[in-house]
């Protein structure tokens, strides 16, 4: 069965510190992984997807099929990164996502 | 705001009542999705439309739930005989193509008392 696990509900770091938000998945097929972000009082929006292999707002994520992980990283956190982050697995050829329960990132000044 | 629009933003209803939510996708987006998000959890897939055709329904969508997209534009989600367990945020999303980026609305928060 498909499953996405985000083990940390809350992650607090100081501004300028490195950040790693963990995501592990369970899926027998070829996975498509995404990170979505929700800033305070805003709608859920796409941050990045593994197939594009790009850096968005300084964030990167590498799909590790051996460890079934898709951790989100940023070398130097900024206060404006404070938000709720959801890892998502897309199954099939349309936008049917399995979301993790989310990690709240709090970047302290 | 030209994004996905949902109405109402908040709904409080008594147990046993029927409620209906509306979603207006981004124009020219022919794919539309409904998700449900309960407190402390990520969104869960409910159903998917291609134009007016409902192509997939989750087992979460019990007989009390019905979704329509009659003209392939806006969509409605109706819950009959609401229960306290239906309390959640109901999210709508749309995309231009099945695997293009999905844009989410701000959601309708339902509270069943």
């Amino acid at each position: 069965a498909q499953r996405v696990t985000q083990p940390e509900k809350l992650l607090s770091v100081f501004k300028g510190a490195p950040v790693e938000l963990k995501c592990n998945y369970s899926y027998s097929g070829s996975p498509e992984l995404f990170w979505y972000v929700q800033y305070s009082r805003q709608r859920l929006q796409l941050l990045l997807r593994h197939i594009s292999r790009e850096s968005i707002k300084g964030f990167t994520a590498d799909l590790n099929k051996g460890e079934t992980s898709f951790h989100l990283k940023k070398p130097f956190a900024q206060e404006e990164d404070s938000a709720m982050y959801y890892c998502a697995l897309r199954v099939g050829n349309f936008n049917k996502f399995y979301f993790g329960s989310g990690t709240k990132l709090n970047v302290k000044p | 705001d030209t994004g996905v629009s949902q109405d109402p933003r908040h709904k409080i209803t008594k147990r046993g009542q029927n409620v209906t939510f509306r979603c207006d996708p981004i124009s020219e987006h022919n794919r539309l999705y409904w998700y449900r998000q309960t407190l402390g959890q990520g969104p869960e897939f409910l159903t998917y439309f291609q134009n007016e055709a409902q192509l997939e329904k989750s087992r979460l969508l019990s007989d009390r739930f019905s979704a329509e997209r009659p003209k392939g534009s806006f969509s409605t989600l109706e819950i009959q005989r609401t229960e306290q367990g239906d309390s959640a945020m109901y999210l709508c999303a749309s995309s231009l193509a099945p695997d293009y980026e999905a844009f989410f609305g701000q959601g309708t928060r339902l509270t069943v008392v």
Side-chain angles (χ1 to χ4, degrees):
Chain A
Q2 300 85 355
R3 186 181 182 90
V4 176
T5 303
Q6 294 180 251
E8 305 136 329
K9 283 203 173 299
L10 174 66
L11 185 63
S12 287
V13 300
F14 284 102
K15 176 183 172 182
V19 169
E20 182 178 51
L21 286 79
K22 296 190 186 315
C23 171
N24 288 88
Y25 67 90
S26 173
Y27 181 51
S28 57
S30 183
E32 284 192 81
L33 275 296
F34 299 74
W35 278 98
Y36 275 82
V37 61
Q38 188 168 25
Y39 300 101
S40 179
R41 295 191 178 86
Q42 294 188 27
R43 61 191 70 196
L44 197 62
Q45 58 186 279
L46 178 65
L47 180 62
L48 55 80
R49 52 200 297 180
H50 89 270
I51 58 171
S52 43
R53 302 184 66 79
E54 56 190 345
S55 173
I56 305 292
K57 299 184 179 184
F59 284 97
T60 59
D62 290 318
L63 178 61
N64 185 324
K65 291 186 179 180
E67 296 184 357
T68 60
S69 68
F70 188 57
H71 303 327
L72 184 67
K73 300 177 184 180
K74 185 170 183 177
F76 308 103
Q78 303 300 314
E79 289 182 67
E80 55 266 30
D81 296 330
S82 294
M84 195 74 182
Y85 290 81
Y86 294 95
C87 182
L89 167 70
R90 187 166 72 186
V91 173
N93 60 356
F94 64 96
N95 288 310
K96 180 179 181 179
F97 293 107
Y98 289 83
F99 284 90
S101 55
T103 297
K104 184 173 182 179
L105 175 64
N106 180 33
V107 182
K108 298 175 283 188
Chain B
D1 189 351
T2 55
V4 177
S5 177
Q6 292 190 243
D7 183 71
R9 294 288 307 279
H10 304 273
K11 178 72 177 177
I12 299 175
T13 191
K14 291 184 178 179
R15 189 161 50 100
Q17 297 294 304
N18 299 344
V19 294
T20 300
F21 311 139
R22 178 181 169 120
C23 171
D24 286 89
I26 295 171
S27 59
E28 85 258 8
H29 280 195
N30 59 14
R31 314 298 171 131
L32 187 145
Y33 315 84
W34 284 99
Y35 282 80
R36 181 176 72 182
Q37 185 174 18
T38 53
L39 203 60
Q41 301 300 316
E44 296 172 290
F45 172 79
L46 291 179
T47 191
Y48 162 53
F49 287 88
Q50 176 185 330
N51 298 312
E52 65 276 9
Q54 188 174 21
L55 298 186
E56 184 156 332
K57 289 170 52 173
S58 163
R59 281 175 289 179
L60 291 174
L61 221 60
S62 74
D63 292 345
R64 297 185 296 106
F65 288 71
S66 62
E68 294 182 343
R69 195 181 182 198
K71 297 181 181 178
S73 56
F74 73 91
S75 175
T76 58
L77 178 67
E78 181 184 16
I79 309 175
Q80 297 183 326
R81 304 180 303 281
T82 52
E83 302 172 355
Q84 285 191 318
D86 297 330
S87 295
M89 177 74 85
Y90 290 84
L91 296 168
C92 178
S94 70
S95 65
L96 187 59
D99 58 348
Y100 278 34
E101 179 179 349
F103 292 84
F104 282 83
Q106 292 188 293
T108 293
R109 181 171 294 283
L110 173 67
T111 302
V112 181
V113 297

